[in-house]
Amino acid sequence: MSYLKEKEELIYWAHLLNQKNFVSARSGNISYKVDKDKLLITTHDCYLGYLKQEDILLIDLKGNILEGKGEISSEKKLHLDIQNKFKEINVVLHAHPPYTIGFFHYFKNLEIHSFEAKFYLSSLKVIPQDTPTVIDTSSILEALETSNIVVLKDHGVVSIGEDFKSSFSLIELLEQQ
């Protein structure tokens, strides 16, 4: 099994997403670029709070499984489209933070008062989401050109970054706001 250190890092952040209640049960998924053309990605229907190494697959940027057993996350297209478009990012987190989901169910915009939050969230976009799995990624990809986090209305968030800390911190900051 390869990329053991990277899998442990992915597991750490998956558990933290669960501990902070940004994912629950079998919701949420993660991809992590470990080479210019290889990703680690969580399997379909895994539980991020109890993620194990065998719940992580090594795939190429076309979605072919290179190592591991199981089915790729149901959000495979979302992760692959993002990872293929934004070469400088390494981490894609798709989470379901409850306050963010609830807030944007009722409101279209978030009035931000914190200076730090204004800096990181000022370009935040809310994308309509009508299906349980993202089918059309075009509006998400467009929104991620100006912000490293996007809200999927009534669904969750997608956050991208060069590393786990930068991607995770955007979810945490948005949920706090």
Side-chain angles (χ1 to χ4, degrees):
M1 200 183 311
S2 56
Y3 299 104
L4 295 175
K5 180 182 170 202
E6 291 84 353
K7 287 179 182 177
E8 286 302 318
E9 185 178 13
L10 192 153
I11 289 169
Y12 170 82
W13 290 97
H15 290 180
L16 193 57
L17 281 167
N18 182 257
Q19 289 169 5
K20 295 278 192 169
N21 294 318
F22 300 156
V23 296
S24 62
R26 290 178 166 85
S27 71
N29 34 74
I30 300 171
S31 67
Y32 180 21
K33 191 178 297 167
V34 292
D35 204 339
K36 66 179 181 157
D37 60 349
K38 293 179 185 151
L39 304 174
L40 294 175
I41 191 166
T42 52
T43 58
H44 174 67
D45 214 25
C46 68
Y47 195 138
L48 294 184
Y50 297 94
L51 195 68
K52 303 177 296 251
Q53 289 205 11
E54 50 269 17
D55 298 322
I56 303 169
L57 303 171
L58 180 67
I59 65 171
D60 64 21
L61 289 174
K62 293 180 182 173
N64 300 307
I65 297 174
L66 305 174
E67 191 176 281
K69 293 183 176 153
E71 187 180 336
I72 300 173
S73 167
S74 59
E75 297 290 8
K76 168 185 166 180
K77 179 176 175 31
L78 173 70
H79 286 270
L80 288 172
D81 287 356
I82 292 170
Q83 293 279 11
N84 278 300
K85 178 173 174 114
F86 301 101
K87 303 293 184 195
E88 71 283 359
I89 67 108
N90 296 313
V91 173
V92 177
L93 300 177
H94 173 47
H96 301 261
Y99 294 119
T100 299
I101 293 169
F103 180 88
F104 286 105
H105 176 79
Y106 294 103
F107 303 99
K108 292 181 180 182
N109 298 307
L110 174 64
E111 191 173 321
I112 300 171
H113 300 286
S114 154
F115 289 114
E116 181 181 65
K118 282 180 186 178
F119 180 77
Y120 290 107
L121 302 175
S122 65
S123 300
L124 180 70
K125 303 270 189 305
V126 180
I127 307 296
Q129 181 65 37
D130 299 325
T131 56
T133 304
V134 176
I135 296 168
D136 180 9
T137 62
S138 59
S139 57
I140 296 167
L141 296 174
E142 184 180 324
L144 289 172
E145 289 176 8
T146 58
S147 176
N148 281 5
I149 188 167
V150 62
V151 174
L152 307 177
K153 186 174 180 354
D154 295 330
H155 185 108
V157 299
V158 176
S159 179
I160 62 174
E162 292 180 22
D163 55 30
F164 280 101
K165 186 166 58 171
S166 61
S167 187
F168 181 89
S169 68
L170 290 172
I171 297 170
E172 190 172 42
L173 185 60
L174 178 59
E175 187 72 348
Q176 178 193 48
Q177 293 301 303

